[in-house]
Short mmCIF file of all heavy atoms in Angstrom, two decimals:
data_model
loop_
_atom_site.label_atom_id
_atom_site.label_comp_id
_atom_site.label_asym_id
_atom_site.label_seq_id
_atom_site.Cartn_x
_atom_site.Cartn_y
_atom_site.Cartn_z
N GLY A 19 -13.78 6.21 -0.51
CA GLY A 19 -13.43 5.02 0.25
C GLY A 19 -14.25 4.75 1.49
O GLY A 19 -14.08 3.72 2.14
N GLN A 20 -15.15 5.66 1.85
CA GLN A 20 -15.94 5.46 3.06
C GLN A 20 -16.80 4.21 2.93
O GLN A 20 -17.51 4.01 1.95
CB GLN A 20 -16.82 6.68 3.32
CG GLN A 20 -17.55 6.62 4.67
CD GLN A 20 -18.28 7.91 4.97
OE1 GLN A 20 -18.31 8.81 4.15
NE2 GLN A 20 -18.87 7.99 6.15
N GLY A 21 -16.73 3.35 3.94
CA GLY A 21 -17.50 2.12 3.93
C GLY A 21 -16.90 1.05 3.06
O GLY A 21 -17.54 0.03 2.78
N MET A 22 -15.66 1.24 2.61
CA MET A 22 -15.02 0.29 1.71
C MET A 22 -13.59 0.03 2.16
O MET A 22 -12.85 0.95 2.51
CB MET A 22 -15.02 0.85 0.28
CG MET A 22 -14.30 -0.02 -0.73
SD MET A 22 -14.37 0.70 -2.41
CE MET A 22 -13.26 2.11 -2.22
N THR A 23 -13.21 -1.24 2.15
CA THR A 23 -11.82 -1.62 2.43
C THR A 23 -11.17 -2.04 1.13
O THR A 23 -11.73 -2.84 0.38
CB THR A 23 -11.76 -2.79 3.42
OG1 THR A 23 -12.34 -2.39 4.67
CG2 THR A 23 -10.31 -3.23 3.66
N ILE A 24 -10.00 -1.48 0.86
CA ILE A 24 -9.22 -1.89 -0.31
C ILE A 24 -8.08 -2.76 0.16
O ILE A 24 -7.27 -2.34 1.00
CB ILE A 24 -8.68 -0.67 -1.08
CG1 ILE A 24 -9.83 0.21 -1.58
CG2 ILE A 24 -7.81 -1.14 -2.26
CD1 ILE A 24 -9.37 1.49 -2.25
N ALA A 25 -8.02 -3.98 -0.34
CA ALA A 25 -6.94 -4.91 0.01
C ALA A 25 -5.95 -4.97 -1.14
O ALA A 25 -6.32 -5.23 -2.28
CB ALA A 25 -7.49 -6.29 0.31
N LEU A 26 -4.68 -4.71 -0.85
CA LEU A 26 -3.62 -4.72 -1.85
C LEU A 26 -2.93 -6.08 -1.83
O LEU A 26 -2.44 -6.52 -0.78
CB LEU A 26 -2.60 -3.62 -1.55
CG LEU A 26 -3.15 -2.20 -1.47
CD1 LEU A 26 -2.08 -1.25 -0.95
CD2 LEU A 26 -3.65 -1.74 -2.83
N LEU A 27 -2.88 -6.74 -2.99
CA LEU A 27 -2.25 -8.05 -3.08
C LEU A 27 -0.97 -7.97 -3.90
O LEU A 27 -0.97 -7.45 -5.02
CB LEU A 27 -3.19 -9.07 -3.73
CG LEU A 27 -4.43 -9.47 -2.92
CD1 LEU A 27 -5.58 -8.52 -3.17
CD2 LEU A 27 -4.86 -10.89 -3.25
N GLY A 28 0.13 -8.49 -3.33
CA GLY A 28 1.41 -8.48 -4.01
C GLY A 28 2.51 -8.78 -3.02
O GLY A 28 2.26 -8.96 -1.82
N PRO A 29 3.77 -8.85 -3.48
CA PRO A 29 4.89 -9.07 -2.57
C PRO A 29 4.95 -7.95 -1.53
O PRO A 29 5.15 -6.78 -1.90
CB PRO A 29 6.11 -9.06 -3.49
CG PRO A 29 5.56 -9.39 -4.84
CD PRO A 29 4.20 -8.75 -4.88
N ALA A 30 4.78 -8.26 -0.28
CA ALA A 30 4.62 -7.24 0.76
C ALA A 30 5.78 -6.25 0.81
O ALA A 30 5.56 -5.03 0.88
CB ALA A 30 4.45 -7.93 2.12
N GLU A 31 7.00 -6.74 0.78
CA GLU A 31 8.15 -5.85 0.89
C GLU A 31 8.25 -4.93 -0.33
O GLU A 31 8.61 -3.76 -0.20
CB GLU A 31 9.44 -6.65 1.06
CG GLU A 31 9.53 -7.40 2.39
CD GLU A 31 9.31 -6.46 3.59
OE1 GLU A 31 9.90 -5.36 3.59
OE2 GLU A 31 8.53 -6.83 4.49
N THR A 32 7.93 -5.45 -1.50
CA THR A 32 7.94 -4.63 -2.72
C THR A 32 6.93 -3.51 -2.62
O THR A 32 7.21 -2.35 -2.97
CB THR A 32 7.62 -5.50 -3.95
OG1 THR A 32 8.61 -6.52 -4.09
CG2 THR A 32 7.59 -4.66 -5.22
N LEU A 33 5.74 -3.83 -2.11
CA LEU A 33 4.69 -2.82 -1.99
C LEU A 33 5.04 -1.78 -0.93
O LEU A 33 4.80 -0.58 -1.11
CB LEU A 33 3.35 -3.48 -1.66
CG LEU A 33 2.82 -4.48 -2.71
CD1 LEU A 33 1.43 -4.97 -2.31
CD2 LEU A 33 2.77 -3.84 -4.09
N LYS A 34 5.61 -2.23 0.18
CA LYS A 34 6.00 -1.30 1.25
C LYS A 34 7.08 -0.33 0.76
O LYS A 34 7.03 0.87 1.04
CB LYS A 34 6.50 -2.07 2.46
CG LYS A 34 5.41 -2.82 3.22
CD LYS A 34 6.00 -3.63 4.36
CE LYS A 34 4.93 -4.42 5.10
NZ LYS A 34 5.49 -5.26 6.20
N LYS A 35 8.05 -0.86 0.02
CA LYS A 35 9.13 -0.03 -0.50
C LYS A 35 8.59 1.00 -1.49
O LYS A 35 8.94 2.18 -1.43
CB LYS A 35 10.19 -0.90 -1.17
CG LYS A 35 11.36 -0.12 -1.73
CD LYS A 35 12.38 -1.05 -2.39
CE LYS A 35 13.54 -0.26 -3.00
NZ LYS A 35 14.52 -1.13 -3.67
N ALA A 36 7.73 0.55 -2.40
CA ALA A 36 7.16 1.46 -3.40
C ALA A 36 6.30 2.53 -2.73
O ALA A 36 6.35 3.71 -3.11
CB ALA A 36 6.32 0.67 -4.41
N ALA A 37 5.51 2.13 -1.74
CA ALA A 37 4.66 3.08 -1.03
C ALA A 37 5.50 4.14 -0.31
O ALA A 37 5.16 5.33 -0.31
CB ALA A 37 3.77 2.35 -0.04
N ALA A 38 6.61 3.71 0.29
CA ALA A 38 7.49 4.65 1.00
C ALA A 38 8.08 5.66 0.02
O ALA A 38 8.15 6.86 0.31
CB ALA A 38 8.59 3.88 1.71
N GLU A 39 8.51 5.20 -1.15
CA GLU A 39 9.09 6.09 -2.15
C GLU A 39 8.06 7.08 -2.69
O GLU A 39 8.40 8.20 -3.08
CB GLU A 39 9.66 5.26 -3.31
CG GLU A 39 10.88 4.43 -2.91
CD GLU A 39 11.34 3.50 -4.03
OE1 GLU A 39 10.62 3.39 -5.04
OE2 GLU A 39 12.42 2.90 -3.88
N LEU A 40 6.79 6.68 -2.69
CA LEU A 40 5.72 7.54 -3.20
C LEU A 40 5.05 8.35 -2.09
O LEU A 40 4.10 9.09 -2.35
CB LEU A 40 4.66 6.68 -3.90
CG LEU A 40 5.11 5.95 -5.17
CD1 LEU A 40 4.07 4.91 -5.58
CD2 LEU A 40 5.34 6.94 -6.30
N SER A 41 5.52 8.15 -0.85
CA SER A 41 4.93 8.82 0.33
C SER A 41 3.45 8.48 0.49
O SER A 41 2.62 9.33 0.81
CB SER A 41 5.11 10.35 0.24
OG SER A 41 6.48 10.68 0.19
N ILE A 42 3.13 7.21 0.26
CA ILE A 42 1.76 6.73 0.42
C ILE A 42 1.64 5.97 1.73
O ILE A 42 2.42 5.04 1.99
CB ILE A 42 1.35 5.81 -0.75
CG1 ILE A 42 1.26 6.62 -2.05
CG2 ILE A 42 0.01 5.12 -0.47
CD1 ILE A 42 0.97 5.80 -3.28
N ASP A 43 0.69 6.36 2.55
CA ASP A 43 0.46 5.70 3.83
C ASP A 43 -0.36 4.43 3.59
O ASP A 43 -1.48 4.50 3.07
CB ASP A 43 -0.29 6.65 4.77
CG ASP A 43 -0.53 6.04 6.15
OD1 ASP A 43 0.04 4.95 6.44
OD2 ASP A 43 -1.29 6.64 6.93
N LEU A 44 0.18 3.29 3.96
CA LEU A 44 -0.53 2.01 3.75
C LEU A 44 -1.48 1.67 4.88
O LEU A 44 -2.18 0.64 4.80
CB LEU A 44 0.50 0.88 3.58
CG LEU A 44 1.33 0.90 2.29
CD1 LEU A 44 2.31 -0.27 2.28
CD2 LEU A 44 0.44 0.85 1.06
N ALA A 45 -1.56 2.50 5.90
CA ALA A 45 -2.42 2.21 7.05
C ALA A 45 -3.88 1.98 6.68
O ALA A 45 -4.53 1.10 7.25
CB ALA A 45 -2.30 3.33 8.09
#
């Protein structure tokens, strides 16, 4: 990922909830 930005597209709250359940940092 160095030098690259990944943009996630989707319903924000759905993605935040899923990320929290998977322990994925969205920062």
